[in-house]
Amino acid sequence: MGFETKTIRIAMNGITGRMGYRQHLLRSILPIRDAGGFTLEDGTKVQVEPILVGRNEAKIRELAELHKVAEWTTDLDSVINDPSVDIIFDASMTSLRAATLKKAMLAGKHIFTEKPTAESLEEAIELARIGKEAGVTAGVVHDKLYLPGLVKLRRLVDEGFFGRILSIRGEFGYWVFEGDVQAAQRPSWNYRKEDGGGMTTDMFCHWNYVLEGIIGKVKSVNAKTATHIPARWDEAGKEYKATADDASYGIFELETPAGEPVIGQINSSWAVRVYRDELVEFQIDGTYGSAVAGLNKCVAQQRAHTPKPVWNPDLPVTESFRSQWQEVPANAELDNGFKLQWEEFLRDVVAGREHRFGLLSAARGVQLAELGLQSNDERRTIDIPEITL
């Protein structure tokens, strides 16, 4: 007796964008498709069938032909209302996302989406309510928690490696060219507040789930934002005024599940040149040990192996501090983080259950970004209230 094969049809909106194309189509859905899908615990075979959706007909057609995708369209409403489509995925502009997700869930579609889910907390909470009432499976990209470096970091937390955790510090960013001489690596709307752009809006929703997933609840925020580069050039080579922040410096009060306080600090900037091993790195310091994790690598230093540096500004440093840390092994094969979450989400869809990273988690991310901007405007620390549906 053969096992059942279930095909899930996924309409992928905004697939011509950098993240939508590279991470979600090229490195997640197409590899799942080309591998013949994956097998559930009961032997059911799950295959995926992407449908490409976007506003640029020429680009969508070109991608469909290049990757042998049978279906594509520029009509988003048509796939939302198509009863044969199971999932609506959205990686389009932030300003368009809430309307797309709302329409999809009201049509009974499961959703998987990039962040932030909305431009305001009110919209984000409304989406969470709609998803709950519609009974659909809703997933929000929490890719960084699936990356090898943070998987290792979380494992150290679970094993009690740090003892009492004191602090977590993060450094994120790189130099995004202005676009006049060298082309920018990010779309121009990222730097226009009116189009949903801004570092705080973009990244604080990530930092919320990273801090929650590694340490615990975020209890307060104090942020300072900046627009370091006031003028940039768009995709057509036209100069425009940057109206959104391109850097955000945040301090967070956290609380572990055991109720212990932890201080968090994360610098995020598109106007910084990288002098570290990876584009994002997090360091946790605890009473028993410390660790530094990037996207892939994680190194640690135990209390017993901690050297005793002596401060002497009159003499050059002779010891290599980096060599005093030990690399943390993966002890498992860790696939692409986006692909891993896609597979977990698809399993939840087939099982008819909630995805662990859903719209309520996304709403807390939007809340942190909103309160971060308020903190900057009011120049004060702001406590973060609980969200209830």
Side-chain angles (χ1 to χ4, degrees):
M1 180 179 177
F3 292 109
E4 176 190 1
T5 297
K6 182 175 181 61
T7 299
I8 300 179
R9 284 167 53 77
I10 308 169
M12 305 187 73
N13 183 43
I15 213 63
T16 57
R18 180 177 57 91
M19 292 297 292
Y21 175 65
R22 289 177 61 83
Q23 296 294 355
H24 294 285
L25 180 65
L26 198 60
R27 297 177 180 173
S28 299
I29 295 302
L30 292 181
I32 293 172
R33 181 198 69 176
D34 296 343
F38 56 89
T39 304
L40 302 179
E41 290 77 8
D42 64 1
T44 300
K45 193 79 171 179
V46 177
Q47 179 57 295
V48 294
E49 188 176 304
I51 304 162
L52 307 189
V53 186
R55 293 178 294 177
N56 188 316
E57 181 176 337
K59 285 185 179 180
I60 289 290
R61 184 192 296 112
E62 180 184 359
L63 290 178
E65 292 174 354
L66 177 64
H67 298 293
K68 297 180 174 58
V69 176
E71 294 183 57
W72 59 270
T73 182
T74 58
D75 188 351
L76 177 59
D77 286 343
S78 70
V79 290
I80 289 176
N81 296 315
D82 184 344
S84 74
V85 173
D86 301 293
I87 297 170
I88 300 295
F89 165 70
D90 188 76
S92 63
M93 292 173 59
T94 301
S95 58
L96 304 175
R97 183 161 298 135
T100 297
L101 298 180
K102 180 177 180 179
K103 193 179 295 184
M105 290 188 292
L106 290 175
K109 297 291 188 287
H110 306 295
I111 63 161
F112 192 63
T113 178
E114 272 289 352
K115 308 155 301 300
T117 51
E119 289 188 288
S120 71
L121 178 58
E122 184 179 357
E123 278 185 317
I125 292 174
E126 182 190 16
L127 289 174
R129 287 183 181 135
I130 291 171
K132 186 175 181 179
E133 292 168 1
V136 299
T137 300
V140 181
V141 176
H142 282 42
D143 58 288
K144 290 174 178 55
L145 292 179
Y146 292 81
L147 295 168
L150 293 192
V151 169
K152 298 169 190 174
L153 193 64
R154 177 67 214 193
R155 193 177 79 221
L156 292 177
V157 172
D158 292 339
E159 292 175 349
F161 170 83
F162 298 103
R164 182 168 60 86
I165 296 175
L166 308 176
S167 64
I168 179 170
R169 295 189 301 282
E171 288 287 343
F172 164 77
Y174 48 92
W175 188 268
V176 176
F177 284 93
E178 296 91 326
D180 51 348
V181 178
Q182 295 193 54
Q185 309 97 297
R186 299 185 66 88
S188 58
W189 70 264
N190 280 179
Y191 304 95
R192 292 190 292 266
K193 185 177 182 180
E194 60 272 22
D195 290 333
M199 176 61 84
T200 309
T201 298
D202 188 8
M203 294 310 301
F204 272 37
C205 57
H206 283 278
W207 304 150
N208 186 78
Y209 75 71
V210 167
L211 294 171
E212 282 188 349
I214 301 297
I215 302 294
K217 287 184 179 180
V218 185
K219 305 292 288 184
S220 76
V221 58
N222 191 314
K224 175 62 180 175
T225 72
T227 305
H228 290 306
I229 310 296
R232 293 181 179 269
W233 283 256
D234 64 18
E235 292 78 2
K238 182 180 178 182
E239 184 178 357
Y240 68 95
K241 181 181 179 182
T243 54
D245 54 303
D246 57 18
S248 192
Y249 309 92
I251 298 175
F252 312 93
E253 291 179 292
L254 313 173
E255 184 178 271
T256 68
E260 295 174 335
V262 176
I263 300 299
Q265 177 184 327
I266 303 178
N267 296 328
S268 312
S269 177
W270 287 316
V272 63
R273 293 177 176 87
V274 181
Y275 187 69
R276 51 186 180 272
D277 291 337
E278 302 195 50
L279 295 184
V280 62
E281 288 185 344
F282 295 94
Q283 176 165 338
I284 293 180
D285 290 303
T287 53
Y288 293 164
S290 298
V292 179
L295 301 178
N296 293 285
K297 189 178 177 181
C298 181
V299 296
Q301 187 176 92
Q302 292 179 315
R303 179 175 181 172
H305 299 145
T306 302
K308 196 173 185 179
V310 176
W311 172 257
N312 189 342
D314 299 322
L315 294 176
V317 175
T318 57
E319 58 187 318
S320 172
F321 291 110
R322 289 180 183 271
S323 67
Q324 296 163 353
W325 294 68
Q326 185 175 4
E327 187 162 353
V328 178
N331 291 343
E333 187 174 339
L334 299 174
D335 205 344
N336 177 279
F338 289 87
K339 180 171 175 280
L340 287 173
Q341 189 178 1
W342 262 110
E343 289 185 358
E344 182 181 326
F345 171 72
L346 292 169
R347 290 174 188 273
D348 292 337
V349 167
V350 174
R353 61 183 175 235
E354 288 186 16
H355 185 61
R356 60 179 173 146
F357 299 127
L359 291 167
L360 190 56
S361 174
R364 291 195 296 272
V366 173
Q367 179 188 46
L368 184 63
E370 203 169 87
L371 293 180
L373 291 171
Q374 182 183 340
S375 168
N376 174 77
D377 293 343
E378 298 178 4
R379 302 175 68 86
R380 68 182 181 94
T381 299
I382 295 181
D383 291 332
I384 300 173
E386 289 278 349
I387 295 176
T388 55
L389 296 181

